[in-house]
Amino acid sequence: MNRPLSALTVLGAAGLLLPVAPLSPLASAAAAEQSVPVLNGDFADPVLKGDGPTTVGIDFWTGSNQRYSPTASGRTDASHGVALQKDGNTLQQRLRGVRAGARVTVRYEDSPAVSKECTGEQVVAGQPYAVVAPGGPVQELTTASDPDRVKGTPGKGRWTGRAYVFTASENEPLLTFTSRVTDSRTHVTCSPMIARIRAVEVPPDVDKTVSKTALGTSEAYKGNDRESTLHNAAAACNGENACVFRPDTRTSFRYYDRARVVGEAFVNCTRNALEHSRLLSYSERAHDSISQTYADAGLALNEVARLPTSGDRTEDEKRLKERPAAAQFALAYEKVWQRPWQWFSSDQRTVVEKIQPGEVSWVELQPSRERVEGWFVSKKDDYRLHAVVDGPSRAVPDRLLQRTGPMSEAEKQRCAAARPMTTTPVGADAPASSSDKGLLKSPASRAAGVRAGFRSVPLN
């Protein structure tokens, strides 16, 4: 789970800036590497007509670059070669699913240009370029040399395996390749080439100490660009089949929440053991990072971003029926974990208490909960909205702890206090004046105006 930064510094005129801090200060050194999806890492889409070069946009990548077929690139696999052009031109993609604190290794291959426009002088010492990602150094590299080139003859490619390692300082880090060819005499197609990009990561430890009321800052992206607000991405999912939710099982988990007292504490001030039954009622609600992001930014929650997490049962039941994102989330959850998701829950239990003299009895609840992290992704995969949802769990039962224990000092004082009394203003310390033991009737009143009646007769 990503932790929120301090009030998000400057939130923009009407937006939500979305910086995040590392999930955990320590990454697990023993954790195994996991694959990171590099979309279109072979640069095969869209389908290339002919051998190239062509500057048609490359799916999932940002930047204007020259693309060559595998054959024209001098490769023996299905990977296409991409020339970075020159004058600081870049090739960029965000690494999906990588969280701040992850140790990422990017592997790829480079080659000097295969363009027939190159002269031997331009490739004889290799060609410079740089690779960088947030949290890592700017790594300056030079491709292998190609000294036997003659202008007018395509190169065969001299591909060299490379690796770039960095620790991500932000979520969804932007991987960037930049051409360092600045010679104005160099033809635009005669520039360093990149092919076959792959990535793995050692993810950070999941921080399970984060409170359900502080789930962190949600993020939104359109392609490789970070959105300044969540509004557009949330609106893009405002349709029954407009988005799908993709849970990240690595960072989702179930847990027991902190215990809380349900009902009252029963104090036994008597000298006898007590036994009685009482009815307990309790309920749980869900929380989500999207609404918390709006709240932290001081903005009213957008209608399309309202998940059933308000805490008002009537309002949440309404949102459950009306908000497509709620259905998208619940459907994805059930497909992955094979059980229904519940946004809220409630229950009643009757417990029998046995309380010894001088003891207190109470009941504590430890609710079982689940935290699910993932992405709402539009069908066209242009908008992505990160979300964390924390709700009551069906996976394991709640814990009810029926407890008895010694009284606190305040409770002891309460038990020792005299019962409420009033004073006897006349003859408080005088002996009893008479006894009515055995009287058949109460004495008649001798008040003025009251008719005298029969007196009671004492029994001998």
Side-chain angles (χ1 to χ4, degrees):
M1 311 293 144
N2 50 311
R3 301 300 301 273
L5 294 182
S6 57
L8 305 181
T9 335
V10 182
L11 292 168
L16 306 171
L17 294 187
L18 303 168
V20 290
L23 297 177
S24 172
L26 297 176
S28 174
E33 286 186 340
Q34 300 177 10
S35 177
V36 173
V38 178
L39 304 182
N40 197 23
D42 290 333
F43 307 116
D45 298 316
V47 175
L48 178 65
K49 296 180 180 180
D51 286 332
T54 178
T55 54
V56 174
I58 304 172
D59 290 356
F60 303 110
W61 294 89
T62 300
S64 178
N65 300 277
Q66 299 283 329
R67 187 167 59 129
Y68 293 79
S69 71
T71 300
S73 301
R75 299 191 58 82
T76 58
D77 59 9
S79 299
H80 294 59
V82 172
L84 298 176
Q85 297 191 31
K86 61 178 183 176
D87 298 328
N89 186 65
T90 60
L91 175 69
Q92 298 177 313
Q93 184 180 135
R94 288 195 179 273
L95 299 180
R96 268 72 163 173
V98 174
R99 312 307 291 158
R103 184 74 170 171
V104 183
T105 301
V106 179
R107 295 184 175 89
Y108 63 97
E109 297 178 35
D110 67 16
S111 170
V114 297
S115 171
K116 65 182 180 180
E117 300 296 333
C118 294
T119 65
E121 178 186 2
Q122 291 168 336
V123 294
V124 67
Q127 293 182 297
Y129 69 96
V131 59
V132 69
V138 177
Q139 186 166 301
E140 301 287 348
L141 297 155
T142 302
T143 68
S145 63
D146 195 0
D148 301 325
R149 293 286 298 280
V150 177
K151 187 175 181 179
T153 302
K156 297 181 179 180
R158 293 178 177 266
W159 292 99
T160 304
R162 304 286 189 180
Y164 176 66
V165 181
F166 69 100
T167 299
S169 61
E170 65 181 35
N171 298 333
E172 303 272 299
L174 183 65
L175 178 66
T176 303
F177 296 90
T178 305
S179 173
R180 295 295 196 219
V181 176
T182 58
D183 189 346
S184 60
R185 296 172 300 172
T186 300
H187 192 277
V188 68
T189 62
C190 187
S191 54
M193 300 181 68
I194 303 296
R196 199 175 187 278
I197 301 177
R198 302 290 188 270
V200 294
E201 67 166 329
V202 177
D205 292 337
V206 178
D207 187 355
K208 297 183 179 181
T209 65
V210 177
S211 169
K212 61 181 180 293
T213 59
L215 296 173
T217 305
S218 285
E219 308 158 297
Y221 297 90
K222 184 176 183 181
N224 293 317
D225 297 325
R226 186 191 295 271
E227 292 278 280
S228 61
T229 76
L230 305 184
H231 301 325
N232 292 338
C237 292
N238 191 32
E240 184 177 353
N241 296 310
C243 285
V244 294
F245 183 79
R246 296 176 181 170
D248 187 342
T249 57
R250 304 171 305 169
T251 52
S252 302
F253 59 93
R254 63 175 183 255
Y255 67 101
Y256 277 110
D257 205 357
R258 291 181 177 179
R260 69 175 187 267
V261 176
V262 180
E264 300 80 16
F266 198 105
V267 183
N268 185 0
C269 292
T270 74
R271 294 183 175 89
N272 302 308
L274 297 178
E275 180 175 328
H276 75 112
S277 300
R278 62 165 157 162
L279 181 66
L280 296 176
S281 299
Y282 52 92
S283 62
E284 288 290 302
R285 54 166 291 197
H287 302 263
D288 75 273
S289 62
I290 297 175
S291 61
Q292 291 173 12
T293 300
Y294 277 85
D296 291 344
L299 299 176
L301 183 60
N302 193 282
E303 178 70 24
V304 295
R306 294 178 182 176
L307 293 174
T309 59
S310 71
D312 182 303
R313 186 65 172 261
T314 302
E315 170 65 18
D316 287 341
E317 287 176 345
K318 177 183 177 184
R319 292 183 183 184
L320 188 58
K321 296 177 181 177
E322 296 178 354
R323 293 275 67 82
Q328 293 158 9
F329 177 91
L331 178 61
Y333 175 89
E334 188 164 355
K335 283 184 176 180
V336 172
W337 283 282
Q338 298 298 305
R339 58 179 177 267
W341 172 261
Q342 58 182 2
W343 295 96
F344 36 77
S345 66
S346 59
D347 202 356
Q348 288 186 332
R349 298 288 175 84
T350 299
V351 297
V352 177
E353 295 179 302
K354 295 181 180 180
I355 317 169
Q356 298 301 317
E359 286 193 337
V360 183
S361 172
W362 71 97
V363 177
E364 294 179 358
L365 168 68
Q366 264 194 295
S368 67
R369 299 186 65 86
E370 290 191 62
R371 187 165 299 176
V372 179
E373 181 175 354
W375 295 85
F376 288 99
V377 182
S378 65
K379 287 294 187 178
K380 295 181 180 180
D381 201 30
D382 47 0
Y383 280 107
R384 306 191 310 283
L385 175 60
H386 178 264
V388 182
V389 178
D390 190 300
S393 175
R394 293 176 184 262
V396 292
D398 297 332
R399 286 176 177 159
L400 279 176
L401 293 85
Q402 189 169 347
R403 303 182 62 180
T404 58
M407 296 181 189
S408 67
E409 289 302 317
E411 289 165 340
K412 289 178 181 178
Q413 292 174 13
R414 181 65 257 166
C415 283
R419 70 183 184 278
M421 295 290 287
T422 187
T423 62
T424 305
V426 179
D429 57 350
S433 61
S434 65
S435 171
D436 61 358
K437 178 176 173 60
L439 296 181
L440 297 178
K441 295 182 179 180
S442 298
S445 173
R446 293 182 179 273
V450 177
R451 185 175 180 182
F454 293 101
R455 285 194 170 193
S456 59
V457 181
L459 297 176
N460 294 325

